[in-house]
Amino acid sequence: MAKKEAGFSTWLQRVRRTGEFSDVKVCVNGEEFHLHMLPLLNASAYFRNLPSTSNGSPPLSSSPHSAQHGCCRIINIPDLPGGVEGFSAIADFCYLLKPNFTLENVAPIRAAAEFLGVTEVLECSKKFLYVNVFVQWQASVSFLQHYRRLSSPVDEYVETRCLKVIVAACAKAFGETKYLTAPILFLANRTPENNHHRHTTSSQCQTLTEILVHMLSLPDAYASEAIEALVDAKVNLNLKCRQSRNVRSWLNSLIDNDCQTDRARCWVVLCLSRMLIKGAPAIRPWMELSSQYWCTLLEHVDHLVTMVDEVMKVRLVVVKKVLEHRIGVGMEELDDYLHCYRFVPETLLSMIGYYVDEADPDPESLDEVAGEVDGFLWNFAETGSIAPDVFLSLFKAFPASCRQSHDTTYGSIEKLLAKRPDCTPEDKQQLWRLVDPSKLSPAVNEAALSNPGFLSQPHILESVLQHHSEELSKLDDNDGRNLRHIMQKVINASLKLLEENSRRSNEIVELQKQYAALLGGKLQDSSESSPDPLWRSNVQSHHRLFVNKNVTEVPEISEAPSTPILGSIHGSV
């Protein structure tokens, strides 16, 4: 009996190979298979369900996919899932040839078997997948990286199970990792003949890093589904961060070194950010000892959001807004100084807005944060990476009482204008108006008064004139030398003010009258009593310059000097 079965099996396989005695032609995606109805009917529910006549022969035009040509039936399957490769394996199975599964063909064969209703092949493919693909996360990742969708239910079957294996492994790695640390560089067996080194870290952390990088380096559709599943896995990253002070170094190593593409970096940042937000407390304090995690992720979002397409950018911006709000309102919870992080100006401005508006900070904390922001402004100005309007907004976010000294502010503006020569005159004027001369140290104030850009601002010139006026009012009229020195300052400052004044002709005429009276009165008496002829010549040349100055040639600025100040100068003289 066994010999007869072997002989029949051999005969079936021979006629399958040669096509002799064929009574049906199956067309799959343009390729023809000359087969026999009996083995197909025996193995496949699809062929058994095809319509037929009462005598068993198929009717003409009974189906759009079935026709009769002489004594040979023609069956057309134009869009068979699994294609020619899948159908060929199923046809072989109908002729008692078992499929030879590989990682490349198991999905097409399973898709064809499902469509054709060959249950035995479905069971065989399931066993192969569980033994070779679903057995561990590495195999599942490798399978998905090369998987091509077949527009068949087998897509969901394979993808869902692969992602389930990967996400479960990742959640387990998070649970088993006690400390998040970056790899440590050390020398291994270093000798003159063996001068090499390697990185090492804890095995649990290394496993976690490896799974995250491979999982989120998958195609976008898989990476997105994996993130959704991992967020729902209830892994509390806030608690995990509190167990390690090195979370920032781990994040930087993971994102900058282990991820090989910007796309993978984006998915890693999105995944960890969403997990962090999901596990955060609903009320403050919500960062506690995990602020390194929050701030470092925001750093990387800042960097990546400018390097990706619009679809990914939208995802990053949504997470970015949440991080900005949480960090801004919880700024007093930071366990590092704010300036330890590399936030871009716009991000810093957003966080400061949340801090000032919602955190209800006490004056001491407000002063401390204002000092850190001034440090940021200095760094931004050094590189020219901040726009004047953002600089102004960051400075004005705090009350004037928060800054006892404006030395840093003056230096920052000076550096910014040197790095940004494209600043408009209006920008320059608004920036310099931030500086309160009374809050400058003597050394910085002296340097500032030698800065033409700073000195040319109307409010600065008025301040200088007011100061000189006050000095002049304290002097005895007989003190000619000191009077001469102070009046020289008045003249120089006044002439500079006129040069920078706007085209307000009525005010300029009034200035001319006041300064003409000033130069022709007490100043003249003082200059005549002076033994220094050079000084008299200098005053006269300034006077001629002033009188001959054409009003229409005066450059325009936004403000003119106030009349009371000029009047006080004239009166004191």
Side-chain angles (χ1 to χ4, degrees), residues 429 455-459 461-462 465 493-512 515 546 549-563 566:
Q429 181 171 325
L455 189 59
S456 66
Q457 303 307 310
H459 76 291
L461 286 172
E462 291 190 24
L465 288 172
S494 301
L495 291 174
K496 183 64 178 177
L497 178 59
L498 287 174
E499 291 174 1
E500 299 295 335
N501 200 4
S502 63
R503 297 176 182 178
R504 299 177 181 177
S505 57
N506 292 335
E507 294 183 12
I508 292 178
V509 170
E510 181 64 24
L511 288 173
Q512 288 177 330
Y515 278 87
F546 171 78
K549 187 71 175 179
N550 191 333
V551 172
T552 60
E553 296 176 353
V554 179
E556 181 178 358
I557 58 177
S558 65
E559 294 188 13
S562 61
T563 302
L566 296 175

Side-chain angles (χ1 to χ4, degrees), residues 343-345 375-387 391 411-412 414-422:
F343 300 123
V344 300
F376 270 103
L377 292 176
W378 179 279
N379 294 332
F380 294 149
E382 278 192 318
T383 59
S385 58
I386 184 171
F391 189 105
S412 299
E414 190 175 39
K415 290 178 179 295
L416 178 61
L417 294 179
K419 286 289 185 177
R420 300 286 295 263
D422 57 330

Side-chain angles (χ1 to χ4, degrees), residues 181-356:
T181 58
I184 301 172
L185 178 67
F186 77 101
L187 300 180
N189 303 323
R190 183 171 183 176
T191 64
E193 295 79 19
N194 179 25
N195 187 21
H196 69 275
H197 56 269
R198 62 187 177 92
H199 292 84
T200 185
T201 186
S202 67
S203 58
Q204 296 92 345
C205 189
Q206 186 175 5
T207 300
L208 173 60
T209 299
E210 187 178 358
I211 297 175
L212 271 176
V213 170
H214 282 83
M215 177 179 72
L216 299 174
S217 297
L218 290 170
D220 287 356
Y222 302 142
S224 178
E225 288 188 36
I227 289 176
E228 296 298 332
L230 196 55
V231 169
D232 292 336
K234 298 180 180 179
V235 178
N236 193 336
L237 291 193
N238 290 272
L239 180 61
K240 185 65 59 179
C241 294
R242 295 171 200 160
Q243 299 174 2
S244 173
R245 293 285 297 168
N246 299 314
V247 65
R248 188 182 185 197
S249 61
W250 175 71
L251 281 172
N252 288 335
S253 176
L254 167 67
I255 297 169
D256 294 334
N257 302 330
D258 295 311
C259 294
Q260 299 301 307
T261 65
D262 287 335
R263 202 75 178 174
R265 294 183 181 98
C266 289
W267 285 120
V268 168
V269 168
L270 284 171
C271 177
L272 297 177
S273 298
R274 290 192 55 195
M275 292 174 69
L276 190 67
I277 294 167
K278 179 70 177 291
I283 58 174
R284 296 174 57 195
W286 45 46
M287 289 192 297
E288 295 186 0
L289 298 181
S290 62
S291 63
Q292 281 191 20
Y293 215 129
W294 293 83
C295 294
T296 306
L297 285 173
L298 183 55
E299 276 186 307
H300 287 284
V301 171
D302 264 353
H303 173 69
L304 292 168
V305 76
T306 62
M307 305 172 63
V308 294
D309 58 58
E310 286 301 317
V311 175
M312 181 61 77
K313 184 176 181 180
V314 169
R315 293 189 178 104
L316 290 173
V317 168
V318 170
V319 167
K320 182 173 183 285
K321 289 180 179 178
V322 178
L323 293 175
E324 288 174 346
H325 178 258
R326 289 297 184 99
I327 297 171
V329 179
M331 197 166 291
E332 295 178 6
E333 302 173 38
L334 299 185
D335 52 3
D336 279 325
Y337 289 111
L338 187 63
H339 64 257
C340 294
Y341 299 96
R342 300 165 297 172
F343 300 123
V344 300
E346 292 76 12
T347 296
L348 180 63
L349 178 60
S350 178
M351 291 191 297
I352 294 302
Y354 288 125
Y355 172 69
V356 173

